[in-house]
Amino acid sequence: MIALAGGKFEVPVLISGPLNGYSAAPECKDANYEWLCYFQPSSVCHAELLRSGREIQVTNSPSFEESVPPQFKELGTAFWWGVVQHYLFHLKPFLYEYLHHHQSAHGVFGIPMVGIHVRHGDKKFDGFTTHSLSEELSVLRGSSLCAIPSPQRHGSCFLPLRYDQRQHVLYVATARKNVTIAVASHMRTAASVAVLRRDDIDRWNHSSTTNASFPRWDLRQIQQLIELPHDNNSSNSSGKTAAVGVVGAQPPPDGNRSRRLWNHLLRDELVIPLPVFVASDDLHVLEVARQQYGFMVGSIGVSQSVVERVGMLHTLLKKPSMSFEATKEIVADVVHLARCSVLIGSASSQVFRLAVALANVSHDVWEAKIIDQDDVPRVRAMSVKYRIPFPEEFQ
């Protein structure tokens, strides 16, 4: 980073050397056990510069804040820091394949999501305060994405599902803005997103979601329904148009159920659980998130096997055979967190800060909230010591 800033981000800089504890994996032999095991070269001229370039010393390098190009200064230092991180975070093809499989398993549909990162492993040894999933879920309730907080479960929030009859699109209504969602009616994984009446939220929270005794649907059923032509010549008691039949197409086998669903949709009575993605190095956290709350969770594997021992880095330094899988899992967590609209985590976590930096330049981040405000002064002091920018402003 010193070299990049010293060259005003105009001079190609090659990054070489090992990733301490992560690139010592046997799978990284062909990459000479360096960071290129996982990432693409930082310059397209990498090979040529290694052959004919010369090494230069960077002296009196300006601070990162001073080196932001003039045309980007108005966007803020945090944005430019995200640009630099995004540029360097150029993964090898095998990692993109891993990410594609991981995302397919989760079934994310472009609905605004909350990303929660709970870091426990190394925190037990670096002096920072640990925080629970429960604490971070309490922060979630104050988010602009928690349109309808559940009165029964402190971690559950719901989004109103709406149908724009003029635009013929589904959208979710949030405190910040309405967000259009697109779900192909043939997508099998769309069935994992439950749709229920707002009046049934309490029963939803007290029942098994697989054996619910009240009406519930899924996004795929909703999409299939709105793709059919409907007779909109009558109105319901609220003055809104109600569907009373299907015209020009065969009614579905359960015609009455479909008509009830259509009327619920037109009356703005439907909601969906707010999608939440949880990443953690603590297996117990992931199990609670998935089993108790029904949240999507990050990769479960090597990353969670060291939390009760000596922390991730110390473990990988002693057991390099674990490094390759651990790195893939960590990269997946960073990428999936970076795709969320609201992020909740710890400022003392480099994984969380990297996810926020990537998110800042890839899409509109609504909120980045931290649970460890008391630790921020120490994190900033460490950032100054190691000359690592810390431009983010968390809520």
Side-chain angles (χ1 to χ4, degrees):
M1 191 55 61
I2 295 173
L4 285 169
K8 298 181 179 179
F9 299 99
E10 297 175 350
V11 179
V13 174
L14 300 188
I15 298 178
S16 60
L19 287 173
N20 192 23
Y22 294 91
S23 60
E27 293 88 343
C28 294
K29 180 180 179 180
D30 291 344
N32 198 29
Y33 303 104
E34 295 191 356
W35 88 301
L36 291 177
C37 178
Y38 305 105
F39 298 96
Q40 301 280 10
S42 56
S43 172
V44 295
C45 304
H46 182 88
E48 177 63 24
L49 288 172
L50 284 178
R51 184 181 65 83
S52 59
R54 63 186 180 87
E55 184 176 343
I56 61 174
Q57 297 297 321
V58 178
T59 58
N60 299 320
S61 175
S63 68
F64 183 81
E65 291 76 11
E66 295 171 333
S67 64
V68 177
Q71 62 268 39
F72 296 107
K73 282 187 179 294
E74 65 178 17
L75 297 176
T77 308
F79 174 82
W80 183 246
W81 175 233
V83 170
V84 175
Q85 297 278 64
H86 192 273
Y87 174 75
L88 296 177
F89 203 76
H90 190 188
L91 305 176
K92 286 290 185 68
F94 78 88
L95 281 172
Y96 284 113
E97 293 177 7
Y98 179 81
L99 289 168
H100 177 72
H101 171 75
H102 195 62
Q103 177 176 328
S104 298
H106 285 172
V108 180
F109 310 106
I111 303 170
M113 292 182 61
V114 172
I116 295 177
H117 182 242
V118 183
R119 176 179 174 237
H120 283 168
D122 292 324
K123 275 198 167 189
K124 295 183 177 180
F125 310 96
D126 61 15
F128 287 106
T129 307
T130 59
H131 295 276
S132 66
L133 174 63
S134 178
E135 289 178 275
E136 299 201 23
L137 289 178
S138 66
V139 176
L140 167 60
R141 289 182 70 88
S143 163
S144 60
L145 263 183
C146 189
I148 307 173
S150 169
Q152 301 295 332
R153 290 167 58 181
H154 74 282
S156 295
C157 298
F158 295 83
L159 294 172
L161 184 65
R162 301 285 187 261
Y163 174 51
D164 186 328
Q165 297 182 66
R166 292 185 178 181
Q167 300 294 325
H168 200 57
V169 295
L170 284 172
Y171 67 92
V172 289
T174 74
R176 176 167 173 168
K177 62 181 179 180
N178 296 332
V179 181
T180 301
I181 59 176
V183 179
S185 58
H186 64 274
M187 290 178 63
R188 294 180 58 188
T189 48
S192 63
V193 180
V195 178
L196 60 151
R197 294 190 314 135
R198 180 166 180 166
D199 291 345
D200 288 325
I201 288 178
D202 286 347
R203 283 194 288 173
W204 165 267
N205 289 331
H206 285 95
S207 69
S208 166
T209 56
T210 57
N211 296 300
S213 59
F214 53 88
R216 56 162 291 195
W217 303 268
D218 58 59
L219 278 183
R220 183 177 58 178
Q221 291 174 303
I222 302 288
Q223 187 66 40
Q224 289 172 333
L225 188 63
I226 68 174
E227 289 173 355
L228 296 174
H230 294 272
D231 179 1
N232 293 326
N233 294 324
S234 65
S235 299
N236 57 34
S237 59
S238 64
K240 296 184 179 180
T241 303
V244 296
V246 179
V247 178
Q250 281 295 109
D254 186 1
N256 290 332
R257 189 171 190 268
S258 294
R259 281 190 285 271
R260 288 196 301 270
L261 173 58
W262 182 254
N263 285 326
H264 291 320
L265 181 63
L266 294 182
R267 293 171 183 154
D268 297 340
E269 296 174 345
L270 299 180
V271 298
I272 62 173
L274 171 63
V276 177
F277 172 78
V278 178
S280 179
D281 56 6
D282 190 330
L283 179 60
H284 176 69
V285 168
L286 297 181
E287 289 176 340
V288 170
R290 181 172 57 184
Q291 297 172 12
Q292 182 174 334
Y293 293 99
F295 296 155
M296 293 174 283
V297 299
S299 299
I300 297 178
V302 174
S303 302
Q304 292 77 35
S305 66
V306 298
V307 67
E308 297 297 337
R309 302 176 191 174
V310 294
M312 175 65 73
L313 180 58
H314 290 83
T315 298
L316 298 184
L317 289 173
K318 293 182 178 180
K319 296 183 178 181
S321 60
M322 301 171 65
S323 301
F324 195 68
E325 289 301 316
T327 302
K328 289 196 297 183
E329 293 161 10
I330 293 170
V331 166
D333 284 347
V334 169
V335 170
H336 291 305
L337 285 169
R339 292 172 176 169
C340 295
S341 299
V342 171
L343 289 157
I344 302 171
S346 302
S348 56
S349 167
Q350 293 185 55
V351 167
F352 180 72
R353 294 207 314 275
L354 174 57
V356 172
L358 295 177
N360 278 335
V361 296
S362 60
H363 63 87
D364 181 20
V365 179
W366 296 13
E367 299 166 355
K369 296 174 174 285
I370 55 173
I371 195 74
D372 60 343
Q373 287 284 358
D374 292 342
D375 286 332
V376 169
R378 184 183 171 200
V379 176
R380 290 196 183 280
M382 293 177 65
S383 298
V384 171
K385 178 180 178 181
Y386 296 106
R387 301 194 70 174
I388 300 175
F390 183 15
E392 297 87 0
E393 294 184 2
F394 298 106
Q395 300 176 11

